Amino acid sequence: MNKFFPLTPRYRLDDQSPWLKGIDPTRNYWIQINGEKTLTAVIPGLVVSSIDEFKQNIQKFQALESGAHIKIERALESCYICCISQNCYAVECYFNGLLVCHTFDKETLESLLMTSHPDWKCTPKDVKLGQ
């Protein structure tokens, strides 16, 4: 009998391999798992309706302590952001029907969450990602 031994990819803004394929207009994060172009995961991003809601969510994220989590809820799906340690966060989502944890440092995940700002616009090349 095999013991469960999970391995999770960890992403940083300064990674050598390109892992962020893009962010679509609905704020889904398109991640190339471990930089592998054939393994693209779509992580539901944070969506807010006001600047106050944006600030509250960013502050909730910044206040996370080890073992705590927040839930990102979308119309069709949701995911959890879990604080593993001071500078390590896991985003739990499903990939090919299996629960996968993608780990990020604080700066990288905070940068992704900043796209929830109501004035944020995706790049023209990323518009087609969500279609």
Side-chain angles (χ1 to χ4, degrees), residues 25-29 45-49 53 57 72-74 116:
T26 63
R27 291 163 173 87
N28 287 311
Y29 314 133
L46 182 61
V47 177
V48 300
S49 58
E53 188 180 359
N57 280 286
I72 294 179
E73 293 195 62
R74 302 284 297 264
S116 68

Side-chain angles (χ1 to χ4, degrees), residues 20 22-29 46 51 54 111-123 126-127:
L20 182 61
I23 304 169
D24 70 28
T26 63
R27 291 163 173 87
N28 287 311
Y29 314 133
L46 182 61
I51 296 291
F54 168 76
S111 293
L112 290 174
L113 293 173
M114 290 294 180
T115 65
S116 68
H117 190 283
D119 295 336
W120 178 85
K121 303 280 187 242
C122 78
T123 65
D126 292 345
V127 169

Side-chain angles (χ1 to χ4, degrees), residues 6-55:
L7 291 175
T8 60
R10 182 162 186 217
Y11 306 103
R12 295 185 332 262
L13 291 175
D14 62 350
D15 272 343
Q16 296 296 320
S17 63
W19 55 269
L20 182 61
K21 185 174 183 177
I23 304 169
D24 70 28
T26 63
R27 291 163 173 87
N28 287 311
Y29 314 133
W30 294 70
I31 307 291
Q32 294 177 5
I33 300 172
N34 288 331
E36 181 64 45
K37 291 180 182 184
T38 60
L39 296 174
T40 301
V42 180
I43 299 173
L46 182 61
V47 177
V48 300
S49 58
S50 69
I51 296 291
D52 286 337
E53 188 180 359
F54 168 76
K55 287 178 185 177

Side-chain angles (χ1 to χ4, degrees), residues 103-118:
T103 56
F104 298 86
D105 62 16
K106 185 172 188 169
E107 180 184 17
T108 304
L109 189 52
E110 195 168 61
S111 293
L112 290 174
L113 293 173
M114 290 294 180
T115 65
S116 68
H117 190 283

Side-chain angles (χ1 to χ4, degrees), residues 60-108:
K60 268 197 257 182
F61 168 72
Q62 291 173 336
L64 279 177
E65 294 182 7
S66 294
H69 69 275
I70 55 177
K71 186 176 183 179
I72 294 179
E73 293 195 62
R74 302 284 297 264
L76 298 175
E77 58 192 331
S78 62
C79 71
Y80 285 94
I81 297 175
C82 305
C83 180
I84 297 169
S85 67
Q86 185 178 20
N87 193 31
C88 187
Y89 298 83
V91 177
E92 297 177 346
C93 64
Y94 284 89
F95 178 73
N96 290 341
L98 301 171
L99 184 62
V100 176
C101 290
H102 301 275
T103 56
F104 298 86
D105 62 16
K106 185 172 188 169
E107 180 184 17
T108 304

